Structures are given as structure tokens and as C-alpha cells.
Amino acid sequence: MTGNKAVAYKEAGKVEVIDIDYPTFELKDGPGVNPANVGRPVNHGVILKTVATNICGSDQHMVRGRTTAPPDLVLGHEITGEVVEVGRDVEFIKVGDLCSVPFNIACGRCRNCKERKTGICLNVNPDRPGSAYGYVDMGGWVGGQANYVLVPYADWNLLKFPDKDRAMEKIMDLAMLSDIFPTGFHGATTAGVGVGSTVYIAGAGPVGLAAATSAHLLGAAVVIVGDMNEGRLAQARSFGCETVDLTQGEPKDQIEQILGVPEVDCAVDAVGFEARGHGKGAQEAPATVLNTLMDITAAGGALGIPGLYVTGDPGGIDEAAKKGSLSLSLGTGWAKSLSFTTGQCPVMKYNRQLMMAILNDKVNIAKNVNAKAIPLEDAPKGYAEFDAGAATKYVLNPNGYLS
């Protein structure tokens, strides 16, 4: 039997590389697995040998102890891999194919999947619509920060790269297709970014930088990124973004200095529920970003909200926040006729187009998010550095495919 090592959440602030079972075509019991999913046959699945598997800011919420994730939950929903085994019912995906795995697990059969709403598939998570690999309350599908991972509904879920050699030349860019590039693009498109738009993006982490990259790709005239981390702001400036230093206070005045007016056409929340207030030493204030975006977005505009919000946060600042109840100025949004789009990005809606943009040299997403490959055994260090604010997108390299 082939060995399999994986990155697991142990307790708040701690991850470890552990030994886990090699995948089989059946969902087994384990940390976070919904009992209704135990024993579920996966003859429609494949087993991937992992080529790249990224550390995500969403993973960090769990690792910080800000969710109800159980100990030993295997992490990792940003997966790129080579097919090494196919299930009995797989028809089109073959051994040797190099594929991107959308972080949403979707059946391809339910009403939502047929309407391209793959982030809220009705058949893969007994708890609620929507599922993902290695994530709390998402059905218990084992994460992909590992040597090998099981991918269900493979003919539907996998995006096969058309030329393996060509794909390997751009593999660090293509590794961003599993989540952050489509998620950033979803944030930008749902905010209404188009040719000539002025755009404000809250957060200069990898998703924020991916949203900024997407805004440029969509033809925005000015892309402004706000954050408190100067290293991340410098990364945004490196590919043509304007920046706002939120340690200096509210963004409105700095936006006016850039644009001549204190508002933008479109806005993206790439921060989520661990938002902080503005100014030096600002403390956590989870509604800050959403209320600020409503304030600075022009009437009739839209907010794309790929930033994660949860219904259970043990570390919330008050009882309301612990249940995901935030003090939003919804009256502001109503008065200005603003539109909001929240929830998981339906990755399959965008990943093929973005793959073609990468393969044809229209975008350099790995450079823009400062992607860096590290060995699987260095995952705890990568998590710690990312949590400390490193302006880096860490890509784990479990099987030595990456240089």
C-alpha cells in the first residue's frame, strides 16, 4: 500500500504533518465526516497524486481556532493533481491526466449544479448546500494537503489541462485555478467590474490580489487595494494597483486623493469575518469592511463579497458575532440601491476561461500573488508565516513536481 502524509489541524494555532490512509473509492469515517456520508461509495471518483496544494486564508480561520473544526481534520481545498486511479464509473478522465480541482465539490446532477451554482450543490453535504475538501461542516471530504486525495464525480468536477507539458511550464499559475483566481474573479464580476471601472478591494491577501488581477483583466481603469500590511500593499503596487494604508484611518479620504472623488464604482470584500477597524492598533470589528464598502460605493453599484463569513465563530467578539450576526448598516445599502453577492465562488463558472488566459499569456497570477512552493513537511512553517502577514501564497509540493 502506498503511504500518504497530510497536513492536519490539531488545535488553535497548530497544524502537523501526519500519516493518513491512502484513499479508496468509499468515504470513510474520520474527523469532520458527517455520519450520513460514512460508507458512501465513490465509484464516480478518481485518486490524484497531488502536484500542488495551496494554503488558503480560509484554512487559516480554522487554524486560528475561529471555527468548530475538529482535531485531526485534514486540510486543503486548493488542489492540482495527476490522476493515478479511476473509479469504475468514470468515463472521460484517464490515468495520467493533469487536472485542476475546483474547491467546491459538486454532483453535476442536482438543480443547483445544472444552473451553474456549484458552490451550493444539494447532494454532497448532508448538513447544508455546498461542500469542499478538508473544511469544517462541509461534509467531511478529506482535504488535499496530502500526497494523494480522492476527488468524487470526477468527470464533472475536474478541469483537465489540454497539454500536460505546456501546463507544467505554467503550473504555479494553474495551481491558482482551484480557488483564489476564480474566487477573486467572482468577486470582481459580481461587483460589476468592467471597462473603465474604478474599483476598491478590501484586503491584500491572496484573494484580494487575485481580485485586483481580475479587475485589471476585466478592464478596470483604476484598481485600489486597501490593507494594514505594508508588505502586502507593496505586492499590490507591483502589478499596477493603487493602495490605501488602513492604519491611517478610513479609506474614503485616501480614495479621494487618488480619484478626485471619495467613492468608487465597484467594491470587493476579500477580508471576511475577522475584519478589524481602521487606524493604528485597530481591534477586531467584523462588520467594518461591509459597512465601509457600502459607504464608499457609488449609488447603484455592487459589492462582491468572496470574503468568508460563518455561522459559528468560537472566537467572536460578542455573542452575536459568535453566531455570524453582524451590525450592518443595511439602510445605507438600501438607500443607495446597492447589490450584494455573497457565498462560495462557483469555480466551474470561471476556471476554464481563466485557464485559457493563463496558457495564452494574458495574466500572471502566480507572480501577482507571490506564489512560493514549499515542501509538505514545511507546512506548519508556511501556516505560521502566512498568519504573521507574509505577502506570499504558499504552495505545498508533496510529491516533488514543483521546482
Side-chain angles (χ1 to χ4, degrees):
M1 177 63 69
T2 304
N4 195 17
K5 291 187 178 297
V7 181
Y9 168 72
K10 301 300 284 188
E11 60 185 31
K14 184 178 181 181
V15 299
E16 285 183 3
V17 178
I18 65 172
D19 291 304
I20 64 170
D21 291 338
Y22 182 84
T24 65
F25 293 107
E26 178 182 304
L27 192 55
K28 304 291 182 63
D29 196 7
V33 179
N34 187 294
N37 261 352
V38 175
R40 184 172 182 160
V42 193
N43 296 316
H44 43 67
V46 301
I47 295 171
L48 295 183
K49 187 176 184 180
T50 306
V51 172
T53 177
N54 315 334
I55 296 175
C56 180
S58 298
D59 297 322
Q60 286 285 18
H61 292 306
M62 289 187 289
V63 172
R64 292 186 189 118
R66 297 299 298 268
T67 72
T68 56
D72 289 324
L73 181 75
V74 174
L75 302 170
H77 57 271
E78 298 191 16
I79 309 162
T80 307
E82 182 178 15
V83 177
V84 292
E85 292 187 48
V86 298
R88 181 191 65 203
D89 298 335
V90 176
E91 186 174 0
F92 303 113
I93 296 293
K94 307 298 183 186
V95 170
D97 287 346
L98 188 62
C99 303
S100 177
V101 184
F103 79 89
N104 325 107
I105 302 173
C107 73
R109 295 152 167 80
C110 71
R111 172 181 174 175
N112 285 348
C113 284
K114 290 178 179 180
E115 293 177 357
R116 303 179 78 192
K117 301 173 185 175
T118 52
I120 43 174
C121 173
L122 300 173
N123 288 331
V124 288
N125 182 359
D127 283 327
R128 65 184 71 175
S131 190
Y133 304 87
Y135 212 85
V136 61
D137 295 333
M138 287 292 184
W141 300 90
V142 178
Q145 289 177 11
N147 296 111
Y148 298 92
V149 63
L150 172 68
V151 174
Y153 302 104
D155 283 327
W156 169 251
N157 280 309
L158 291 178
L159 175 67
K160 176 185 171 182
F161 300 139
D163 183 300
K164 196 170 182 179
D165 292 337
R166 187 180 177 200
M168 285 305 298
E169 292 174 1
K170 294 181 176 290
I171 195 62
M172 290 293 281
D173 293 284
L174 295 170
M176 304 303 136
L177 291 174
S178 56
D179 183 354
I180 67 161
F181 196 10
T183 293
F185 194 85
H186 181 61
T189 56
T190 56
V193 177
V195 175
S197 297
T198 58
V199 187
Y200 177 76
I201 296 166
V207 170
L209 297 175
T213 300
S214 301
H216 285 304
L217 193 60
L218 290 163
V222 184
V223 180
I224 305 169
V225 180
D227 204 291
M228 295 182 166
N229 182 316
E230 175 51 35
R232 291 181 172 181
L233 291 175
Q235 186 63 31
R237 290 192 293 271
S238 75
F239 59 95
C241 299
E242 301 286 345
T243 58
V244 164
D245 180 356
L246 296 174
T247 66
Q248 302 304 307
E250 298 284 337
K252 181 176 283 190
D253 291 342
Q254 295 178 67
I255 290 171
E256 185 170 19
Q257 291 172 11
I258 295 166
L259 297 177
V261 292
E263 64 180 17
V264 291
D265 300 325
C266 319
V268 178
D269 173 4
V271 178
F273 74 102
E274 288 193 67
R276 295 161 61 190
H278 301 137
K280 292 185 184 301
Q283 301 300 306
E284 186 169 317
T288 297
V289 171
L290 293 172
N291 286 330
T292 297
L293 296 193
M294 284 189 277
D295 185 42
I296 66 171
T297 302
L303 277 59
I305 309 173
L308 176 68
Y309 290 87
V310 295
T311 57
D313 173 13
I317 60 171
D318 53 36
E319 290 305 310
K322 290 177 181 179
K323 298 182 291 185
S325 297
L326 309 182
S327 298
L328 297 180
S329 180
L330 193 58
T332 300
W334 191 94
K336 296 175 75 174
S337 294
L338 300 176
S339 301
F340 303 76
T341 301
T342 66
Q344 288 187 40
C345 164
V347 171
M348 293 172 67
K349 189 173 182 178
Y350 310 107
N351 61 352
R352 185 187 178 279
Q353 301 97 303
L354 296 175
M355 175 188 75
M356 294 303 292
I358 289 168
L359 292 176
N360 290 284
D361 300 319
K362 298 301 181 185
V363 66
N364 300 110
I365 182 65
K367 176 178 177 289
N368 290 2
V369 301
N370 194 28
K372 177 183 178 182
I374 62 174
L376 186 72
E377 56 266 27
D378 286 353
K381 180 181 178 184
Y383 269 96
E385 291 179 357
F386 188 35
D387 192 48
T392 304
K393 176 67 174 178
Y394 290 99
V395 179
L396 302 180
N397 181 23
N399 293 303
Y401 283 89
L402 309 177
S403 60

